[in-house]
Amino acid sequence: GGQGVLTTGLLLANAGMKEFEHVSWIPSYSATMRGGTVACYVTLSNEEIRSPLISRPEVMIIMDLPSLDTYERSILPGGALILDTSMIQREVQRDDIKIIPLPSTDLAKGLGSTQVSNLVLLGAYLAETKVLSIEAVEVTLENTLKENKKEKLIPLNIEALRCGYERKGMNIK
């Protein structure tokens, strides 16, 4: 919790509503009062979504070690795992998935705020999946920030999204 996973999922879902007929966004909180894991499940589909719960995701973004420990085994074989290596100092135990390590917190700090590390990871997700164009997500991000009277944050947020999307010179397994 507190790393922007719900915001990231909601941004993806809102952008997806413009291009997909059916969208679901389901937040999930662990039973722990404070410091527990938070997950967010997003489904974008042109077919009816029979269940919004996802037990075997194709792609996951993982932002911290407790989440990696909890969810690593659930990714479908052949799927992808995008993770913040600034926050996770252990190797992924799977060899049947694509691993996209990204020091997103460090990259976000270099941009001026660790609070945009979630957008760095979202950019990497967009580059990997091509499920939505980065431009579609940028428009949704800009509109969301304007609605919340946070226009001054638009340049930093767009820069973070682009940073993850372009991930030049990153080590991808």
Side-chain angles (χ1 to χ4, degrees), residues 142 145-156:
E142 287 179 28
L145 290 169
K146 286 177 185 174
E147 287 170 11
N148 292 304
K149 309 282 188 250
K150 296 181 178 180
E151 295 90 347
K152 66 181 182 176
L153 299 176
I154 292 172
L156 172 63

Side-chain angles (χ1 to χ4, degrees), residues 44-171:
L44 306 172
S45 179
N46 285 321
E47 298 176 16
E48 185 176 333
I49 300 169
R50 295 196 175 147
S51 173
L53 298 177
I54 304 169
S55 60
R56 301 288 290 181
E58 296 173 40
V59 181
M60 285 193 96
I61 296 173
I62 302 231
M63 299 180 176
D64 61 21
L65 184 57
S67 296
L68 181 61
D69 292 340
T70 301
Y71 298 109
E72 176 181 356
R73 290 179 297 283
S74 68
I75 303 167
L76 276 174
L81 170 60
I82 303 165
L83 71 153
D84 182 356
T85 57
S86 303
M87 304 300 289
I88 301 169
Q89 264 72 64
R90 84 156 167 85
E91 292 293 318
V92 174
Q93 305 301 310
R94 305 269 306 265
D95 62 3
D96 63 341
I97 59 175
K98 184 174 186 178
I99 302 164
I100 303 166
L102 195 64
S104 60
T105 298
D106 292 340
L107 291 168
K109 186 176 182 179
L111 296 174
S113 174
T114 58
Q115 291 181 326
V116 294
S117 68
N118 61 327
L119 294 174
V120 175
L121 292 165
L122 179 58
Y125 169 84
L126 295 171
E128 176 62 28
T129 65
K130 308 283 191 261
V131 69
L132 292 169
S133 70
I134 191 168
E135 293 81 12
V137 176
E138 285 174 339
V139 167
T140 302
L141 178 57
E142 287 179 28
N143 290 339
T144 300
L145 290 169
K146 286 177 185 174
E147 287 170 11
N148 292 304
K149 309 282 188 250
K150 296 181 178 180
E151 295 90 347
K152 66 181 182 176
L153 299 176
I154 292 172
L156 172 63
N157 281 257
I158 297 296
E159 186 178 13
L161 191 66
R162 286 274 169 184
C163 175
Y165 187 82
E166 294 167 3
R167 33 182 233 272
K168 296 174 182 160
M170 295 291 163
N171 179 26

